[in-house]
Amino acid sequence: MKHSIIVLLALLLISMSASCTSRGNETLRTISINILPESHCAVILHGPDSNGRYYYSIANTAEGAVERYDTWPFGTGTIDPEAAPIIRQEGPGTYRVTLAKGPDAEFVVVDTLQKRIIKDSNPENAPNRPFKTEKQ
């Protein structure tokens, strides 16, 4: 019960602090906050920007604290901002978040134990990136 209350408070703090994010000269709205099961991490979907591009960031919700990490762009695949993301556990502490259905759907694979992005659907983003605190 205590953990549920802490997670709910963290979600409230995330939604208040992540209602929008800046990317260059643009402010992007937050579309969804997706808590990863059995972890203290969330994948946050932002966008679209003026070019129709979407972005994601990772948030740490441990013990009610909220720490948001850098924002990364998705590729040019499919995102359905109205649909619920599909979250699938791929291994201990490792989750794949897919943001649409089909072979061109944007995705991100997160290792919550090692605090790193294993890979995502954007070939321009390097694999195995550690979470880095977003510059304020």
Side-chain angles (χ1 to χ4, degrees):
M1 179 71 171
K2 180 182 174 186
H3 179 70
S4 297
I5 292 171
I6 290 172
V7 169
L8 288 174
L9 289 172
L11 279 174
L12 178 61
L13 289 171
I14 290 172
S15 65
M16 289 173 16
S17 67
S19 60
C20 61
T21 190
S22 294
R23 186 77 183 171
N25 295 338
E26 294 189 70
T27 299
L28 305 172
R29 73 182 177 91
T30 297
I31 296 171
S32 65
I33 300 170
N34 311 287
I35 299 293
L36 302 178
E38 301 175 16
S39 76
H40 295 289
C41 291
V43 174
I44 305 171
L45 176 62
H46 309 279
D49 65 11
S50 59
N51 296 318
R53 195 161 195 191
Y54 289 86
Y55 299 82
Y56 71 92
S57 58
I58 307 294
N60 177 7
T61 62
E63 298 302 318
V66 176
E67 181 178 27
R68 199 168 86 203
Y69 301 102
D70 281 338
T71 301
W72 298 281
F74 276 113
T76 56
T78 305
I79 289 183
D80 183 352
E82 301 300 319
I86 300 163
I87 300 173
R88 188 179 82 219
Q89 187 168 12
E90 293 193 338
T94 303
Y95 299 91
R96 174 183 291 263
V97 180
T98 306
L99 299 162
K101 292 184 179 177
D104 293 332
E106 297 287 0
F107 70 89
V108 58
V109 180
V110 178
D111 181 340
T112 62
L113 300 176
Q114 299 297 315
K115 293 190 174 188
R116 64 189 174 105
I117 309 290
I118 294 174
K119 64 181 175 180
D120 62 30
S121 52
N122 186 345
E124 296 176 8
N125 292 338
N128 295 310
R129 299 183 313 278
F131 298 169
K132 292 188 300 184
T133 302
E134 187 171 60
K135 297 161 190 68
Q136 300 294 331

